[in-house]
């Protein structure tokens, strides 16, 4: 019904009341009877309005649960773009080295200082854990030092004069010197990191040259707060472009199987981009005023950050082993089949990657999958096969709550315990982590944990899950599980 329908009914009712009064008057009834006729017409109008108001409205169509659309970037397109990046970086580095050797170093003291900082930063490069950065390596100090050298426009009140070619050459030589020990140990980062660094430094140096006093924009901007804001904008754009290229390279390296989404890769870098950009601008302004002695003081916070990240890696590894040992407790007690927790965790990670989860989300999903059956230790009589889906909802909820209480005592993130506690809830009340764990757990129970199950058994299990999408399993998760299982069967 539209908004004007009640108004039309009201007008129709008053017209009906008028016609009723006229008919009473024409029949020779006294004027005293006229209010009764009008009252009858108004009563009819109220009845019609109340019936319309109480009529059941058509049920709204429930929005379809469709997976979030990934960026339209296939593995082949990402590979071609990566080849273009490699070619452009190689050409840029070759031209920069030739021009620097032919012209000589400008301000060699400043160049050597920045090159040493880049080398030290590469030497202290840290491989992040899956929760922090998806298993990638990070070099905050070399990125900030190289970008700061590209943004350096003046030293001691005089133009720096090194230009984009020398900035790229110094950055590449310093990075190569710092990576030599990693190469000797077989722990060198992938080559696209050096390619992105060279392209970013070259682009930032070109922009900075236009902002300097001799450039066209330099006369419009001039020294001061506006110049610093322009440098910060250039640094943020450069760091953001580097993050986008890193996401593209992750898509190209993963291939077609479990291809990560660029948007998920960008979410893994929320704090490093502004940190590197701000430190680069600080280095450029500080060295331009105080000289090369400002480099150690400005780079110390990032060096401490890399040291802290290095110390966190063994702690997280120990935490993961502790949860894996705890997950074996229901298996040792005979509550669940042997290897059930590890199978559910591995398959949940694959489904999570299919849904676009990255970094800490995948780690939380693995932890919740490992510990989702801890609450079965409270059962007096173990459930046959460990399948709690056949139990009444009250017992399922009790097992889930007890398991969540145990998980909270381990000190894991709150969303892991919440996902374990929500295993007995309808999927519309669950988070994505709980939905994935519940669906994968049910699939493992239906296939009896056999990876060698035939196509008919897999299809029968998936058909059973699809019939329970009204309450227990989200259709999007079931379809992602179907794609993962079909790819694993084709291998």
């Amino acid at each position: 019904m539209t908004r004007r329908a009640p108004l039309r009914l009201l007008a129709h009712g008053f017209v009906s009341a008028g016609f009723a009064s006229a008919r009473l008057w024409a029949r020779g009834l006294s004027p005293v009877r006229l209010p009764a006729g009008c009252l009858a017409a108004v009563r009819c109008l109220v009845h019609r309005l109340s019936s319309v108001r109480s009529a059941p409205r058509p049920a709204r169509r429930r929005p379809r649960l469709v997976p979030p659309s990934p960026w339209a970037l296939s593995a082949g397109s990402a590979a071609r773009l990566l080849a273009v990046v490699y070619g452009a970086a190689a050409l840029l580095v070759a031209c920069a080295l030739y021009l620097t050797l032919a012209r000589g170093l400008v301000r060699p003291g400043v160049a050597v200082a920045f090159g040493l900082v880049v080398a030290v930063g590469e030497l202290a490069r840290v491989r992040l854990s899956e929760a922090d950065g998806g298993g990638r390596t990070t070099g905050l100090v070399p990125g900030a030092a190289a970008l700061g050298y590209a943004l350096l426009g003046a030293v001691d009140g005089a133009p720096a004069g090194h230009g984009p070619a020398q900035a790229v050459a110094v950055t590449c030589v310093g990075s190569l010197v710092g990576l030599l020990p990693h190469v000797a140990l077989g722990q060198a980062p992938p080559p696209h990191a050096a390619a992105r660094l060279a392209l970013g430094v070259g682009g930032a140096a070109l922009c900075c040259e236009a902002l300097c006093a001799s450039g066209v924009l330099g006369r419009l901007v001039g020294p001061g707060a506006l110049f610093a804001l322009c440098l910060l904008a250039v640094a943020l754009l450069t760091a953001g472009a580097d993050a986008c290229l890193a996401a593209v390279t992750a898509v190209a390296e993963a291939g077609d199987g479990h291809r990560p989404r660029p948007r998920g890769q960008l979410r893994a870098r929320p704090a490093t981009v502004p940190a590197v950009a701000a430190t680069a601008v600080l280095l450029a302004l500080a060295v331009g005023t105080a000289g090369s002695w400002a480099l150690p003081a400005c780079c110390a916070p990032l060096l401490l950050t890399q040291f802290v990240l290095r110390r966190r890696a063994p702690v997280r590894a120990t935490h993961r082993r502790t949860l894996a040992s705890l997950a074996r407790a229901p298996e040792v007690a005979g509550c669940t089949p042997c290897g059930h927790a590890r199978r559910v965790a591995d398959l949940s990670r694959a489904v999570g990657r299919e849904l676009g989860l990255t970094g800490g989300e995948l780690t939380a999903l693995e932890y919740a999958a490992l510990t989702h059956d801890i609450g079965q230790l409270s059962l007096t009589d173990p459930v046959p096969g460990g399948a709690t889906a056949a139990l009444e909802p009250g017992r399922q909820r009790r097992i889930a709550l007890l398991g969540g209480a145990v998980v909270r005592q381990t000190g894991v993130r709150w969303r892991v315990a919440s996902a374990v506690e929500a295993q007995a809830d309808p999927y519309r009340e669950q988070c994505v982590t709980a939905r994935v764990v519940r669906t994968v757990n049910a699939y493992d129970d239906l296939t009896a944990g056999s990876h060698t199950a035939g196509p008919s058994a897999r299809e029968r299990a998936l058909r059973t899950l699809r019939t329970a999408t009204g309450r227990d399993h989200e259709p999007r998760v079931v379809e992602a599980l179907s794609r993962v299982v079909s790819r694993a069967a084709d291998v």
Side-chain angles (χ1 to χ4, degrees):
M1 175 181 288
T2 61
R3 295 182 178 178
R4 296 184 179 180
L7 296 179
R8 288 199 298 266
L9 288 176
L10 185 63
H12 177 72
F14 280 114
V15 171
S16 301
F19 277 114
S21 301
R23 285 197 300 268
L24 289 174
W25 183 267
R27 292 177 182 178
L29 298 178
S30 62
V32 180
R33 300 290 302 272
L34 287 178
C38 295
L39 182 62
V42 172
R43 189 181 297 112
C44 179
L45 171 64
V46 172
H47 175 70
R48 290 188 63 182
L49 287 176
S50 61
S51 63
V52 170
R53 182 175 301 176
S54 61
R57 295 184 178 180
R60 293 183 178 179
R61 182 177 297 178
R62 183 165 302 182
R64 293 181 60 189
L65 294 173
V66 297
S69 59
W71 291 359
L73 186 66
S74 61
S77 301
R80 288 191 294 270
L81 182 57
L82 186 59
V84 172
V85 169
Y86 283 154
L91 181 61
L92 176 62
V93 171
C95 293
L97 290 175
Y98 174 77
L99 292 176
T100 303
L101 291 175
R103 191 177 56 180
L105 284 178
V106 178
R107 296 184 181 272
V110 178
V112 171
F114 273 96
L116 286 176
V117 173
V118 172
V120 171
E122 292 287 3
L123 188 62
R125 181 178 286 270
V126 179
R127 178 173 293 276
L128 297 179
S129 63
E130 187 72 25
D132 294 327
R136 61 184 174 86
T137 60
T138 179
L140 303 179
V141 175
L147 191 55
Y149 188 53
L151 298 177
L152 183 62
V155 178
D156 295 333
H162 55 272
Q166 183 171 322
V168 174
V170 170
T171 299
C172 292
V173 172
S175 178
L176 181 60
V177 172
L179 289 176
L180 285 178
H182 294 284
V183 174
L185 296 175
Q187 300 175 355
H192 61 75
R196 299 196 326 262
L197 184 61
L199 292 176
V201 169
L206 286 175
C207 295
C208 182
E209 193 174 27
L211 289 174
C212 288
S214 59
V216 178
L217 297 177
R219 292 188 292 270
L220 299 177
V221 177
L226 184 58
F227 179 73
L229 290 178
C230 291
L231 288 182
L232 182 59
V234 171
L236 286 174
L237 288 176
T238 304
D242 178 79
C244 293
L245 285 178
V248 171
T249 55
V251 175
E253 290 178 348
D256 291 327
H258 299 315
R259 186 172 72 249
R261 295 173 181 174
R263 183 173 55 188
Q265 295 293 316
L266 289 177
R267 286 202 304 264
R269 305 167 181 262
T272 58
V273 170
V276 170
T279 306
V281 174
L282 180 61
L283 283 174
L285 297 177
V287 173
T289 303
S292 303
W293 298 105
L295 282 173
C298 296
C299 292
L302 290 183
L303 279 174
L304 291 176
T305 302
Q306 291 194 182
F307 177 74
V308 170
L309 290 176
R310 185 183 292 274
R311 293 292 301 271
R312 286 183 63 183
V315 175
R316 287 189 176 275
T318 304
H319 201 181
R320 186 186 300 269
R321 288 194 295 268
T322 302
L323 287 179
S325 301
L326 182 63
R328 293 198 57 193
E331 300 174 5
V332 174
C335 298
T336 57
C338 182
H340 170 73
R342 175 47 59 185
R343 289 193 302 270
V344 173
D346 294 340
L347 191 54
S348 296
R349 285 183 64 88
V351 175
R353 284 195 297 267
E354 184 71 22
L355 294 174
L357 304 183
T358 57
E361 296 173 335
L362 283 178
T363 303
L365 178 58
E366 180 185 4
Y367 289 171
L370 284 173
T371 57
H372 73 280
D373 278 330
I374 295 296
Q376 293 200 34
L377 293 174
S378 62
L379 297 177
T380 306
D381 298 325
V383 181
T388 57
L391 299 178
E392 56 270 17
R395 293 188 65 186
Q396 293 184 22
R397 189 176 302 276
R398 178 174 175 272
I399 292 173
L401 292 178
L402 289 175
V406 174
V407 173
R408 288 185 187 277
Q409 300 299 320
T410 62
V412 296
R413 298 179 180 179
W414 62 270
R415 56 182 173 181
V416 177
S418 299
V420 175
E421 291 173 345
Q423 287 301 298
D425 298 338
Y427 78 83
R428 293 179 180 84
E429 301 176 7
Q430 294 175 335
C431 60
V432 178
T433 303
R435 296 177 184 182
V436 173
V437 173
R438 182 171 187 174
T439 302
V440 174
N441 177 43
Y443 175 81
D444 190 81
D445 291 339
L446 292 172
T447 57
S450 176
H451 290 288
T452 60
S456 59
R458 293 193 298 268
E459 288 299 327
R460 187 163 53 251
L462 291 173
R463 193 181 308 114
T464 304
L465 295 178
R466 290 189 179 99
T467 57
T469 53
R471 180 189 183 275
D472 296 336
H473 306 291
E474 183 183 6
R476 180 167 62 102
V477 178
V478 175
E479 296 307 319
L481 173 63
S482 175
R483 292 192 296 270
V484 171
V485 171
S486 63
R487 277 200 302 266
D490 295 338
V491 176

